[in-house]
């Protein structure tokens, strides 16, 4: 008899299963090659040193991850602890991609068992696996140490084991599922969001299971075995070198393991916000998947619901539970959307299977069987093309952390500044800047001595100003970044390299690297300046530090500005110690950043400094030299490392610091609709809602964590109502541990502003913009010439009217 060589037979062979091995190896290699070489700011560094010292991480503790990472660190002797732990994320991510492949392969086999003439090809589950593997969010979590990539792998493993149990009808897979469910619970509570979906699926597949006490008992025992990592807490807690020491008590155990202290980080969005939350999810989904894959998702959900209703219910309930919780409560949405993104990849794979079946059926009717086979292989090959392009685009947009050394550079700066100095300095620092220092201290035997530098952790329970007051007399006090709250408390924040020194005024012990003796309109004495670098690349800021003082009080606001070639930088007044607050005789030191446009031509340019009187509208004040500016240095603008995006598009509303473009904005009140900047006022009654949608485009790798402000202001610029949020309502941080936004990405950012009931009728305006989350310094608006043009965008007027009775 002639052998059956149809695709359906091929997919029943062992070949598809074996393809999982090269799939794992290739994705692992891709993630390994693009993973971070060392430490990162914040949690990733904690995930590196906690397993190494067998400590206890921040709530919920991550017991399973800690033990897994410890074993990995012992078995993989490659590079530093930080280096190898980053590669653990790469291995776990590759496993998750492989499990998506296995899940869709099982579903394909189930279809083939029902209809032997259905097309089958290992390329179909391969498309689903690669669809997840090249999503920017997943890739970013695959290249640095984190617990979230383990959470999503648990979720995919749960789905695959249940599908495999359903497909094979072998209870051993159900018992393995129970073990992994318990292990997941010992890792992070978010992994339990799928439990309702799992329970419904199990009851649908085996409705009599509740009456089978032996199976239930076996499942419970397996789940308890999976929970064994939780014993790590009471065993290790009393002697842990880092973490809580009270986890031998029930209260201490439950508080930490259930993350009681982090509940304040949960957002709460109501029913009126659900359309905005749906728009946010749609915007994020488009960032992850090509349109061709997105179109397959509803096809797959409908197909699996009709042909395999129990599995369809599992996927649908899993998605529903995760999405409703994540989009409406969690702050770091991108980390917790990994699980739904993985389930979506499975649905897309089933959608491709359904489309292949339909095309084959049509081909059999109208063409020969060879054309039908071509549909089952050719269509997946066609869809692999946009996925490959997505992978290439990720790399071109800067997704790789292979050269990311910002955290390691920060540790080097701290050590070079304080090691061996014996000055008894104190560094008041947030979590993000402390964890890389701890990695070096705990894993590389590079701890600083207390007589050189002591680290003081600043948190919500130990705020910045209170910490400064508590330690101002204990020794020289330093901050890792600019903190306006400390300045507003009356202290001076003096730049010192990349650090800031905190002092009580007046400040006198300062020494510029370049001395000057120039007066500005006989009022401000320009003592000197620092210019850390006289070479800069387009897109990067040029740092300038000015040393100034006044002999007599200056009640007007005077601000410096610079010219570099034809580009003028006139800074705004936010996040500065303004001249009316200068004390006579003290030296005021301020750091300024000069943005270099992304399309700035390479060459040498003179850097000129001038001053303006903002209070009286005088743009250029005279210097004692007789000119209105003074030459500081010659700046060498180097060629750009990457091709510049269009930063001066005539269609964009605004370019913010050459980092972000506000492409467009729109407002809606009832049936009224306006596109920014509108001239005819939007009429709205007090107490009603206005809906805004801002469209952002990343022009460059962000240098900071952005906060978007959307304000209703009056004619004097005073704030009336609005929001200050991490972009997309907390869903899409620009910089969290490392840069998250990729060059060229576009997102829709919706907001709802409620007009206060007590607001008097009249005309108001909508302003939007971006500022740094810690510095509170607004990103300047860059005009078409590359010069600075304010720090906000006015979208248009709003007319508030008496509410209808």
């Amino acid at each position: 008899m002639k052998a059956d060589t149809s695709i359906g037979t091929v997919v029943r062979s062992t070949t598809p299963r074996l393809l999982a091995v090269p799939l794992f190896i290739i994705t692992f290699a891709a993630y390994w090659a693009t993973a971070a070489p060392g430490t990162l700011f914040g949690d990733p560094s904690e995930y590196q040193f906690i397993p190494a010292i067998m400590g206890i991480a921040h709530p919920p503790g991550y017991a399973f991850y800690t033990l897994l990472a410890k074993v990995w660190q012992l078995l993989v002797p490659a590079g530093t602890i930080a280096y190898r732990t980053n590669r653990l994320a790469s291995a776990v991510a590759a496993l998750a991609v492989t499990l998506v492949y296995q899940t869709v392969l099982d579903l394909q086999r189930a279809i083939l068992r029902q209809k032997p003439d259905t097309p089958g090809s290992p390329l179909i589950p391969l498309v689903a696996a690669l669809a997840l593997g090249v999503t920017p969010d997943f890739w970013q979590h695959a290249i640095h140490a984190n617990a979230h990539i383990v959470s999503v792998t648990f979720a995919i493993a749960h789905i695959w084991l249940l599908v495999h149990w359903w497909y094979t009808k072998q209870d051993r897979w159900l018992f393995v599922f129970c073990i992994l469910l318990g292990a997941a619970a010992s890792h992070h509570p978010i992994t339990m969001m799928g439990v309702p979906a799992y329970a419904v699926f199990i009851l649908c597949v085996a409705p009599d299971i509740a009456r089978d006490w032996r199976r239930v008992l076996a499942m419970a025992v397996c789940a308890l075995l999976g929970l064994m990592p939780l014993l790590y807490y009471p065993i290790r807690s009393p002697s842990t070198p880092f973490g809580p020491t009270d986890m031998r008590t029930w209260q201490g155990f439950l508080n930490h393991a259930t993350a009681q202290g982090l509940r304040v980080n949960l957002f709460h969005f109501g029913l009126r916000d659900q359309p905005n939350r749906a728009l946010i999810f749609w915007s994020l989904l488009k960032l992850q998947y090509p349109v061709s894959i997105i179109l397959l998702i509803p096809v797959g959900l409908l197909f699996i619901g009709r042909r395999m209703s129990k599995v369809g219910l599992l996927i649908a309930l899993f998605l529903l539970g995760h999405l409703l919780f994540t989009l409406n409560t969690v702050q770091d949405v991108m980390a917790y959307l990994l699980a739904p993104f993985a389930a979506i990849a499975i649905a897309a794979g089933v959608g491709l299977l359904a489309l292949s079946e339909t095309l084959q059926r049509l081909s059999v009717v109208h063409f020969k069987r060879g054309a039908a086979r071509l549909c089952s292989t050719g269509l997946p090959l066609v869809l692999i093309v946009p996925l490959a392009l997505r992978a290439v685009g990720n790399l071109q947009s800067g997704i790789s952390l292979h050269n990311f050394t910002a955290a390691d550079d920060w540790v080097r700066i701290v050590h070079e500044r304080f090691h061996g100095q014996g000055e008894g300095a104190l560094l008041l620092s947030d979590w993000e800047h402390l964890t890389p220092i701890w990695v070096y201290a705990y894993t590389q035997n590079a701890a600083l001595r207390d007589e050189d530098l002591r680290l003081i952790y600043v948190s919500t329970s130990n705020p910045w100003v209170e910490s400064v007051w508590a330690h101002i007399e204990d020794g020289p006090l330093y901050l890792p970044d600019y903190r306006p709250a400390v300045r507003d408390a009356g202290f001076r924040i003096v730049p010192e390299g990349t650090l800031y020194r905190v002092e009580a005024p007046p400040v006198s012990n300062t020494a510029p690297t370049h001395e000057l003796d120039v007066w500005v309109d006989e009022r401000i004495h320009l003592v000197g300046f620092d210019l850390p670098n006289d070479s800069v690349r387009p897109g990067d800021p040029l740092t300038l530090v000015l040393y100034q003082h006044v002999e007599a009080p200056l009640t007007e606001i005077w601000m410096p500005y610079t010219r570099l070639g034809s580009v003028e930088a006139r800074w705004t007044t936010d996040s500065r110690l303004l001249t009316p607050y200068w004390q006579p005789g003290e030296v005021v030191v301020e750091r300024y950043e000069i943005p270099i446009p992304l399309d700035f031509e390479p060459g040498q340019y003179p850097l000129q400094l001038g001053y303006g009187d903002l209070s009286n509208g005088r743009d250029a004040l005279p210097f004692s030299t007789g000119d209105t500016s003074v030459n500081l240095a010659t700046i060498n603008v180097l060629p750009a490392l990457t091709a510049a995006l269009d930063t001066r598009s005539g269609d964009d509303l605004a370019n913010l610091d050459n980092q972000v473009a506000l492409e467009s904005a729109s407002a809606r009140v009832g049936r009224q609709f306006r596109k920014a900047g509108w001239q005819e006022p939007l009429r709205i009654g007090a107490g009603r809602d206005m809906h805004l949608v801002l469209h952002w485009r990343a022009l460059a790798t962000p240098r900071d964590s952005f906060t978007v402000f959307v304000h209703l202001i009056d004619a004097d610029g005073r704030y009336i109502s609005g929001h200050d949020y991490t972009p997309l309502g907390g869903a899409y941080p620009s910089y969290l541990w490392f840069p998250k936004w990729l060059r060229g990405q576009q997102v829709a950012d919706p907001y709802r502003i409620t007009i206060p009931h007590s607001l008097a009728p009249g005309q108001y305006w909508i302003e939007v913009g971006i500022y740094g989350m810690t510095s509170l310094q607004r990103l300047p608006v860059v005009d078409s010439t590359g010069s600075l043009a304010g720090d906000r965008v006015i979208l248009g007027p709003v007319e508030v009217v008496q509410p209808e009775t």
Side-chain angles (χ1 to χ4, degrees):
M1 181 182 294
K2 185 177 179 180
D4 185 356
T5 58
S6 70
I7 298 295
T9 301
V10 172
V11 83
R12 292 182 182 86
S13 70
T14 59
T15 302
R17 294 289 186 197
L18 295 177
L19 286 178
V21 176
L23 173 64
F24 175 86
I25 294 173
I26 292 171
T27 51
F28 183 26
Y31 299 147
W32 180 293
T34 53
T39 62
L40 293 94
F41 295 111
D43 288 3
S45 283
E46 185 195 17
Y47 295 132
Q48 294 168 349
F49 77 80
I50 284 293
I53 65 173
M54 298 295 283
I56 298 176
H58 70 272
Y62 307 99
F64 178 87
Y65 171 85
T66 300
L67 297 173
L68 173 68
K70 180 63 176 181
V71 172
W72 175 272
Q73 290 170 351
L74 292 174
L75 296 180
V76 182
T80 64
I81 289 293
Y83 178 93
R84 70 185 71 167
T85 314
N86 290 336
R87 271 67 189 176
L88 170 61
S90 302
V92 174
L95 176 60
V97 171
T98 307
L99 287 172
V100 168
Y101 175 87
Q102 298 281 26
T103 304
V104 177
L105 185 62
D106 274 348
L107 294 175
Q108 183 175 236
R109 286 172 176 268
I111 293 294
L112 288 171
R113 189 163 57 186
Q114 295 174 3
K115 298 183 65 176
D117 61 339
T118 299
S121 168
L123 293 179
I124 292 176
L126 182 64
V127 168
L130 294 179
L132 174 67
V134 301
T135 59
D137 188 31
F138 187 85
W139 197 321
Q140 285 177 325
H141 283 85
I143 56 179
H144 69 87
N146 70 99
H148 302 296
I149 200 68
V150 177
S151 298
V152 66
T153 305
F154 266 126
I156 303 173
H158 293 157
I159 292 175
W160 173 67
L161 286 167
L162 288 176
V163 168
H164 202 61
W165 166 64
W166 163 80
Y167 171 68
T168 63
K169 297 180 173 57
Q170 296 176 356
D171 277 354
R172 60 179 178 175
W173 300 109
L174 181 62
F175 299 147
V176 174
F177 160 80
C178 292
I179 293 174
L180 287 191
L181 187 65
S186 73
H187 171 69
H188 196 289
I190 192 66
T191 60
M192 297 296 100
M193 291 304 302
V195 167
Y198 306 154
V200 170
F201 177 76
I202 291 171
L203 288 174
C204 287
V205 174
D208 61 340
I209 195 170
R211 296 191 297 272
D212 189 342
W213 67 268
R214 290 183 177 84
R215 292 171 79 187
V216 173
L217 179 61
M219 292 169 63
V221 170
C222 289
L224 288 175
L225 286 175
L227 288 171
M228 293 294 286
L230 290 177
L231 295 176
Y232 174 79
Y233 295 141
I235 293 173
R236 189 62 178 159
S237 179
S239 58
T240 180
F242 193 101
T245 58
D246 62 344
M247 293 192 72
R248 276 191 176 176
T249 67
W250 276 112
Q251 189 64 40
F253 179 91
L254 292 175
N255 283 345
H256 199 80
T258 60
Q260 293 287 338
L262 296 183
R263 300 296 174 86
V264 295
N265 290 333
L266 297 181
F267 287 9
H268 298 282
F269 294 96
L271 289 177
R272 290 191 298 172
D273 296 306
Q274 293 313 299
N276 283 353
R277 304 312 291 172
L279 177 58
I280 285 171
F281 175 69
W282 171 245
S283 189
L284 296 177
L285 184 65
K286 289 191 297 181
L287 289 183
Q288 309 308 316
Y289 292 109
V291 174
S292 56
I293 297 297
I294 293 177
L295 293 175
L296 291 174
I297 297 169
V299 176
L301 291 174
L302 290 174
F303 179 81
I304 200 172
R306 183 171 61 88
R307 296 283 291 274
M308 296 172 286
S309 59
K310 297 180 179 66
V311 178
L313 191 61
L314 169 65
I315 300 297
L317 290 179
F318 181 91
L319 279 172
L320 185 64
H322 271 277
L323 289 177
L324 286 178
F325 175 77
T326 300
L327 290 173
N328 287 288
T329 59
V330 179
Q331 185 174 7
D332 182 12
V333 166
M334 297 306 293
Y336 296 100
L337 279 179
L338 288 170
F341 283 155
I344 283 171
I346 294 172
V350 177
L352 178 57
L353 179 63
L355 188 59
S356 297
E357 177 184 333
T358 302
L359 290 178
Q360 191 213 34
R361 188 164 55 249
L362 293 174
S363 299
V364 169
V365 174
H366 300 288
F367 304 100
K368 295 181 180 179
R369 181 168 293 276
R373 294 175 183 172
L374 182 62
C375 290
S376 63
T377 56
L379 183 60
L381 286 174
V382 170
L383 290 176
I384 286 176
V385 173
L387 296 178
L389 293 176
R390 175 59 57 96
V392 173
N394 287 343
L395 296 174
Q396 292 177 339
S397 300
I399 198 170
S400 174
L401 293 178
H402 179 69
N403 295 316
F404 184 81
T405 61
D408 290 305
D409 293 341
W410 154 251
V411 178
R412 175 183 52 79
I413 288 169
V414 171
H415 278 256
E416 290 178 352
R417 169 62 184 84
F418 298 105
H419 178 69
Q421 298 300 308
E423 61 182 289
L426 297 93
L427 176 63
L428 272 62
S429 181
D430 52 11
W431 175 258
E432 285 74 12
H433 287 88
L434 286 180
T435 52
I437 299 176
W438 288 332
V439 170
Y440 276 76
Y442 285 120
T443 71
Q444 298 188 33
N445 196 28
L448 288 163
R449 301 178 305 168
D450 284 349
E451 52 265 37
D452 291 333
L453 181 70
R454 285 190 294 144
L455 304 176
I456 308 297
Y457 177 35
V458 180
S459 63
T460 53
S461 60
N462 187 32
W464 291 96
V465 174
E466 287 80 351
S467 296
V468 170
W469 279 114
H471 297 285
I472 192 65
E473 297 181 356
D474 295 344
L477 207 59
Y478 289 85
L479 306 177
D481 48 24
Y482 192 87
R483 294 286 168 170
V486 176
R487 177 207 62 203
D488 294 341
F491 295 97
R492 298 295 185 255
I493 309 177
V494 182
E496 187 177 305
T498 59
L499 298 165
Y500 288 89
R501 188 176 75 251
V502 180
E503 291 196 12
V507 176
S508 57
N509 58 333
T510 58
T513 55
H514 302 276
E515 294 185 354
L516 290 174
D517 185 13
V518 180
W519 286 83
V520 183
D521 201 17
E522 302 180 349
R523 302 291 298 278
I524 292 180
H525 186 200
L526 186 58
V527 179
F529 67 94
D530 295 338
L531 192 65
N533 294 294
D534 58 6
S535 296
V536 65
R537 294 190 185 274
D540 293 333
L542 182 67
T543 300
L544 175 66
V545 180
L546 297 179
Y547 295 72
Q548 314 147 91
H549 89 277
V550 294
E551 295 291 346
L554 181 61
T555 57
E556 297 87 3
I557 297 177
W558 289 12
M559 287 289 294
Y561 65 89
T562 61
R563 289 194 187 94
L564 183 66
S566 61
V567 175
E568 185 173 86
R570 286 186 177 267
W571 293 287
T572 54
T573 57
D574 70 312
S575 295
R576 317 281 183 195
L577 181 65
L578 301 180
T579 49
Y581 299 98
W582 295 6
Q583 292 189 10
E586 77 167 325
V587 177
V588 175
V589 188
E590 287 282 338
R591 178 183 287 158
Y592 300 88
E593 287 189 344
I594 304 168
I596 309 300
L598 288 167
D599 55 358
F600 205 91
E601 289 294 330
Q604 294 189 329
Y605 300 88
L607 177 63
Q608 298 174 306
L609 176 71
Y611 279 77
D613 180 356
L614 273 62
S615 298
N616 298 304
R618 294 188 293 167
D619 292 335
L621 299 174
F623 282 79
S624 56
T625 59
D627 296 323
T628 56
S629 64
V630 59
N631 288 326
L632 298 182
T634 298
I635 303 301
N636 183 27
V637 178
L638 304 172
L641 292 177
T642 56
L645 295 175
D646 183 10
T647 61
R648 301 182 184 178
S649 173
D651 296 331
D652 289 338
L653 278 179
N655 170 354
L656 301 179
D657 198 29
N658 296 312
Q659 297 191 70
V660 184
L662 178 58
E663 292 186 309
S664 63
S666 60
R668 177 179 59 83
V669 176
R671 296 183 179 180
Q672 301 176 80
F673 178 83
R674 301 284 190 277
K675 291 194 67 174
W678 65 84
Q679 300 298 319
E680 181 185 357
L682 270 168
R683 290 173 55 86
I684 184 171
R688 292 195 61 192
D689 291 338
M690 170 186 296
H691 297 273
L692 297 170
V693 180
L694 312 177
H695 294 269
W696 305 107
R697 183 175 83 255
L699 298 174
T701 301
R703 300 189 297 270
D704 200 355
S705 185
F706 297 148
T707 297
V708 175
F709 65 89
V710 181
H711 295 163
L712 179 71
I713 58 175
D714 64 13
D716 296 322
R718 290 174 299 196
Y719 171 85
I720 302 297
S721 180
H723 296 291
D724 289 53
Y725 263 145
T726 301
L728 278 68
Y732 192 40
S734 60
Y735 194 119
L736 182 63
W737 324 138
F738 59 91
K740 288 295 187 74
W741 286 18
L742 301 179
R743 295 172 67 247
Q745 285 186 328
Q746 299 169 284
V747 292
D749 191 6
Y751 293 89
R752 176 176 58 85
I753 296 180
T754 300
I755 306 300
H757 286 277
S758 59
L759 187 60
Q763 187 156 297
Y764 300 84
W765 284 263
I766 296 292
E767 68 168 5
V768 302
I770 290 175
Y771 60 82
M773 184 174 292
T774 58
S775 70
L776 305 185
Q777 187 170 322
R778 291 186 177 186
L779 269 60
V781 177
V782 181
D783 66 18
S784 60
T785 68
S787 300
L788 304 190
D791 57 14
R792 62 179 180 173
V793 181
I794 301 296
L795 300 186
V798 175
E799 183 180 353
V800 176
V801 298
Q802 289 285 0
E804 297 178 0
T805 58

